[in-house]
Amino acid sequence: MNSNRNHALGMAVICLGASIAPLDFSVNIAFPAMTQAFSLDTQGIRWVAICYMLSYGGLMLLFGSIGDRVGHLKIFRWGLMLGALAFLLCAVAPSFRLLLVGRVIQGVATALTVSCAPALVLRLFADHRRTWALSRFGAYFALAAAIAPVMGGLMTGLMGWPGVYWFRIPLIVFAWFSLRYVNLSEHDDETRQRHDVNFSAWSVLSQVASQNNNFLWINISSFVVQWSVFTVPLLVPYFCVQQLGWTYLQCGLLLGLWASGTVAGSFLAPRFTQATKVELVAYLSAWITSLSVCSIALWSQDASILLIGGSLLSCGLGLGVYQVAYADLVVAALPRSSRGVAGSLTQVTRTIGVIVGAFTWLWIFSQLLPETKSDGHDSPQAFMLGFRAVFLISPAFAVAFLAISALKPGLWFKEEAAS
């Protein structure tokens, strides 16, 4: 009973600390407010995401590999402490440049924390419960993402854009203090006692890729799906505020519906993987996600709330199932001594997709805005032209990849090994 309580407490504390990453979706809601506060154009705001994601994504594998060597819990603690400092710096930044400096530091803190969080969760449970543990971690991760836009809208309305940073400081400090009550030290001792010659993350990944022809394709699929789906948190806030005239809180509630679908998908994923092969679950859920993104191109100022909500809910549902299935495939492919690298890799592919998406989709969007008002705001007609184009082009790339990858033997439609 005490062991069960420790596992539940450990899962809660680790997920609360790891929420440093998904709670950053609150910042997307504040994009219009930041754009106005710092007198930016639509493309300028992308640096808020890019500076964070570059430092976050660029360091994940390194910190995951270091966690495999020196202990995941130690790296996790360092990330929490640095994260509290980073949020404070962002909240009080008097200029856009200093805000970006704070975002870089926040990215380092997130990389430290999230790189080792999945490994810590997996060490709480037996290996036969791996998919269950990953689904619960993914669900809590998605739950934080669902809460984030609501909190972002609420805090932006109450405190302006700095509010999206202030509210996370007490959460991360509480997680840091709570770690002392979680019995995880023995798991880190086991990690340090494993002496694997392949300490380098790239050495481990290269070895696995050379032995598994489908490993690279599986990870490319994550990049493609995340690249396509990042159009949702990137452009939907602008649609809500500029086209529908909604408040930041209303916009946050709408994006919360999308993230709620991801929570549901994460919880449901183990049922699907028990019924059929995990590769097929990943493939079909990627299709659902891509087609749901495409349906957003049907939105207009007169679109029904059922269409808008249905698009986001189905997109989130497919994404939640896909992320758990993909994480399960990656963890199963890598050795147990490289759980830090495995957990980091699942976040790196997502992060690269987001970074590339921030560049490409805003660039495409801006290229399709030939008309602007005298005050610099996009005209409604020009906005909808770019908006619809982006939500047609982004899923088109994902659909093309999924169709081509279906031709690769054993990737998604895996055959049973011959006896």
Side-chain angles (χ1 to χ4, degrees), residues 26-36 45 48-49 103 233-234 237-238:
S26 61
V27 177
N28 292 65
I29 304 300
F31 277 176
M34 290 180 183
T35 301
Q36 182 178 11
I45 198 65
V48 174
R103 290 289 282 177
L234 188 65
Y238 285 98

Side-chain angles (χ1 to χ4, degrees), residues 217 221 283 400-409 411-413:
W217 280 83
S221 77
Y283 184 68
F401 171 82
L402 292 172
I404 294 172
S405 65
L407 303 176
K408 186 168 176 56
L411 178 58
W412 306 118
F413 311 102

Side-chain angles (χ1 to χ4, degrees), residues 2 7 89 123 232 241 253 260 273 326 356-357 369 372 389 415:
N2 290 335
H7 291 172
L89 291 176
R123 295 193 185 285
V232 174
V241 174
L253 289 170
S260 297
T273 57
Y326 161 68
V356 176
L369 294 178
T372 56
E415 299 177 358

Side-chain angles (χ1 to χ4, degrees), residues 226-239:
Q226 299 292 349
W227 177 43
S228 173
V229 84
F230 187 63
T231 51
V232 174
L234 188 65
L235 290 178
V236 166
Y238 285 98
F239 174 82

